[in-house]
Structure formats: structure tokens, C-alpha cells
Amino acid sequence: FLPTVPAFLRKGEEEEREQGRISRPGGAVRGTAYHRALELLSFKDAASFGDLKAQLDAIKAQGLMAEEALRLVQPGVLWRFFQTPLAERMRRADEEGRLHKEQQFVVGIPAREMDEADSDELVLIQGIIDAWFEDEDGAVLVDYKTDTVSSPDVLVDSYREQLMLYCGALQCITGMPVKECYLYSTHFQKSI
């Protein structure tokens, strides 16, 4: 697995790198690498930093991620996430078969509900939910973010609409109410 970046994003990064303005892979590539690692890592088998490192080594040995992509993933950043109360809930859900990762969806939402037009015509929304788990009285949605922004509020404001659409899609897919929705920021190393 090697992260792919759309040509229009790659071109801009290549131009900036040539001009000496950036020296490392851009946010889209790094974000894709973290998302892939979190997809492949077993939450139930990551009780220690050593367990986490062993899983990353196995991912590399099995060729599930390219070395270049794995170099972008900092085990310490992942371990700090795995120590959060949210990740602990995800670990318990994984142990009980209630954790779901990389849930693809396509849903139709009336244009009126999206403030796009005064019409009941459906607008198709396609996406991938990073992770979600079943809890006692509903679903809990988790979206990983690797953005470098000035504050958690900026992150929430940037992704509020996406999260609302994903919550609606998850409810349609599962028939369960979505009782909680989290962003996990690798930059701030916290759940929001």
C-alpha cells in the first residue's frame, strides 16, 4: 500500500518542494499513511507500546504498507492515541467484535436538507467512515485528523458539516442512533 494523492494536490506540493518551501511529504500523504496504519492495527492487541511496535513491524514485513508510508507514521503519536479513554472504548469494542473500520457509504440526501436548493432531489454523498463502534444505546463515530491547525475549534469548524453528514450516513447504514461523534487530532493528541 502506498498512499495516493490526487494529481492536482501532488502538483502543488511538487512546485513548493522545488522552490524549497516544503521538505517533507505533504499533509495528504501523511494523513493517508496514518489512516492506513489505524485501519490495519488491532486495537485489542495493542496493550503496550511494544505490542504496537510489533504490529507496525508485522505490517511492514507483510508488505501491507510501503516503507515510505510507514516512515511517516510516528509510533509515539499512535501510542498516545491508544492510551486515551476513546481508544480504550475502541479496544473493548474490538475485543467484542463491535468495532468497525473504513466503512464506505453512498447515501442520498434531499438537496433541501443540504441548503443546496428548494428541492427534494437527492444529492449523492460518498465517503468512508474511519471507525465506529456499537455502544449500549447507539453508535459512536470516530474520525481521525492529521491537520496542523491553530486550535481544536478550527478543526471542529472545518469538519462540522462532514461529521454531520457522516453521522446521518451511519444512522442510515446501521439503523442505530449516533450518540457520540469524535474527531481525534494527531496534532493536538486528543479527542474532540
Side-chain angles (χ1 to χ4, degrees):
F1 175 84
L2 186 60
T4 53
V5 179
F8 72 92
L9 287 175
R10 199 170 46 246
K11 182 178 182 227
E13 285 182 2
E14 288 169 1
E15 289 171 1
E16 287 186 12
R17 192 172 286 110
E18 287 170 8
Q19 295 169 7
R21 288 189 287 182
I22 59 174
S23 59
R24 61 186 175 95
V29 173
R30 188 178 64 256
T32 300
Y34 270 96
H35 278 77
R36 178 65 173 165
L38 285 161
E39 175 189 2
L40 295 171
L41 288 167
S42 167
F43 279 70
K44 66 183 175 189
D45 297 324
S48 71
F49 183 71
D51 292 342
L52 181 72
K53 282 282 292 155
Q55 284 192 61
L56 290 170
D57 290 343
I59 288 168
K60 178 181 174 182
Q62 294 169 22
L64 298 174
M65 283 181 71
E67 244 181 272
E68 176 185 332
L70 271 170
R71 278 195 296 272
L72 300 174
V73 176
Q74 297 177 12
V77 169
L78 289 175
W79 180 240
R80 281 187 284 284
F81 169 57
F82 274 78
Q83 293 178 300
T84 65
L86 176 61
E88 179 56 35
R89 291 173 69 192
M90 294 171 76
R91 182 179 297 113
R92 283 194 309 270
D94 194 14
E95 289 170 350
E96 298 170 8
R98 299 180 289 110
L99 177 63
H100 311 274
K101 298 190 242 177
E102 297 299 311
Q103 175 78 53
Q104 296 183 25
F105 68 87
V106 176
V107 294
I109 298 175
R112 180 175 286 108
E113 290 179 23
M114 296 183 63
D115 295 326
E116 292 294 320
D118 187 23
S119 169
D120 288 325
E121 290 289 322
L122 294 181
V123 175
L124 291 181
I125 305 293
Q126 176 180 338
I128 301 173
I129 296 169
D130 294 338
W132 70 276
F133 59 94
E134 301 167 42
D135 212 0
E136 294 172 10
D137 53 351
V140 178
L141 184 138
V142 181
D143 197 60
Y144 310 122
K145 296 298 179 195
T146 58
D147 305 46
T148 302
V149 293
S150 59
S151 75
D153 290 340
V154 170
L155 197 64
V156 170
D157 289 344
S158 297
Y159 291 103
R160 183 180 316 279
E161 187 174 347
Q162 175 197 346
L163 289 176
M164 298 315 302
L165 291 170
Y166 279 29
C167 285
L170 184 57
Q171 187 165 327
C172 286
I173 292 166
T174 65
M176 289 185 243
V178 177
K179 68 177 212 165
E180 297 171 60
C181 182
Y182 292 95
L183 290 175
Y184 182 79
S185 168
T186 59
H187 176 69
F188 295 108
Q189 305 225 324
K190 70 182 217 173
S191 301
I192 305 163

